[in-house]
Amino acid sequence: ETHPLNPIAPYPWSKYLAEQVCNLARKKGQQIITVRLSNMYGPQIYRGTVIADLIAAIGDSKGILTLRGTGKETRDFIHVDDVTRALVALSLPYKGPLPGTDLIELARLSRLRGYATLGRAWDFHVYNIGSGEAFSIRSLAELLIQLMGKQLKVAPSGVQSVLDHQNEVPRALDTRRIFEATGWQPGVTLVEGLQETLKAVPVKAEVPDGSTI
């Protein structure tokens, strides 16, 4: 959360500017919590995200799966269920372990106890929400190939953009702050999450967000 921010593309710049607006409002007494999500995935994921695009590419490929870049580019992947639990945890007016992991039960408790407004005035900070682990795109592709039962050779193209080169630096979010504040930690492994995601294929129609494999 305290790492210097240096956005170099329009999309991260939009997030950076939105966060600065929240910071100004927080200084004026507004109760605002800012969250920084890693790459979220799960059932009904849409095209334009790396996991959805890889699933589609693996399904269409024969013999060779060509990746843009070197395959060493990394991401931190977090399942949508874990993100939901984290957001609920940040809305609860007490610290400590969550009251169970059932999402429906958490939503029910939130409604019954009136947690629509944020309750912990001492914890209005920025929180990272991620798995805390960096996975290379090549490793992700090979795992998906295995889970999908395909026989493909992964062949990185070696062609990189500025963003691809930057992403070769291992990237994983430090989630100690949210754990210390709420007791939250991710509970869905990447293998479990991908298996669930694959059951929901085909993925949704493409969303033009500029993302690539």
Side-chain angles (χ1 to χ4, degrees):
E1 291 95 347
T2 58
H3 191 279
L5 302 178
N6 182 33
I8 61 174
Y11 182 54
W13 259 107
S14 69
K15 290 187 173 184
Y16 172 78
L17 292 175
E19 192 169 298
Q20 297 312 302
V21 171
C22 290
N23 288 340
L24 289 173
R26 190 182 291 114
K27 290 178 180 179
K28 293 182 178 296
Q30 294 295 316
Q31 297 183 347
I32 296 175
I33 287 175
T34 304
V35 297
R36 296 176 183 167
L37 306 180
S38 62
N39 287 65
M40 185 171 64
Y41 72 99
Q44 303 193 38
I45 189 173
Y46 10 153
R47 292 294 300 275
T49 60
V50 63
I51 288 179
D53 286 351
L54 273 174
I55 291 172
I58 291 169
D60 293 338
S61 297
K62 295 181 179 180
I64 296 177
L65 173 68
T66 301
L67 299 179
R68 192 185 76 181
T70 65
K72 297 178 182 178
E73 299 83 10
T74 61
R75 298 285 191 281
D76 179 332
F77 297 100
I78 185 73
H79 192 274
V80 62
D81 284 359
D82 282 331
V83 172
T84 302
R85 291 177 56 252
L87 296 178
V88 171
L90 288 170
S91 74
L92 300 176
Y94 59 82
K95 298 185 179 184
L98 293 175
T101 57
D102 184 83
L103 298 179
I104 295 177
E105 176 64 12
L106 286 175
R108 186 185 70 82
L109 286 172
S110 183
R111 290 195 302 271
L112 289 178
R113 298 182 184 178
Y115 296 158
T117 56
L118 302 174
R120 297 196 314 274
W122 59 89
D123 277 342
F124 296 121
H125 299 304
V126 175
Y127 293 91
N128 288 335
I129 299 176
S131 70
E133 299 183 65
F135 290 88
S136 73
I137 300 303
R138 178 165 192 151
S139 296
L140 175 65
E142 292 172 342
L143 177 56
L144 281 169
I145 289 171
Q146 178 184 349
L147 293 175
M148 293 172 70
K150 300 278 286 188
Q151 298 293 324
L152 295 174
K153 178 181 178 181
V154 177
S157 68
V159 179
Q160 290 182 298
S161 68
V162 174
L163 289 176
D164 292 329
H165 179 71
Q166 187 182 63
N167 289 341
E168 282 195 2
V169 178
R171 296 193 308 171
L173 293 185
D174 182 345
T175 60
R176 285 176 293 180
R177 175 178 284 178
I178 187 172
F179 174 74
E180 292 170 358
T182 70
W184 175 89
Q185 55 187 336
V188 181
T189 68
L190 185 59
V191 171
E192 293 169 341
L194 291 178
Q195 288 173 329
E196 182 183 17
T197 301
L198 288 169
K199 293 178 182 178
V201 173
V203 294
K204 283 190 172 182
E206 184 173 354
V207 173
D209 66 351
S211 299
T212 55
I213 295 176

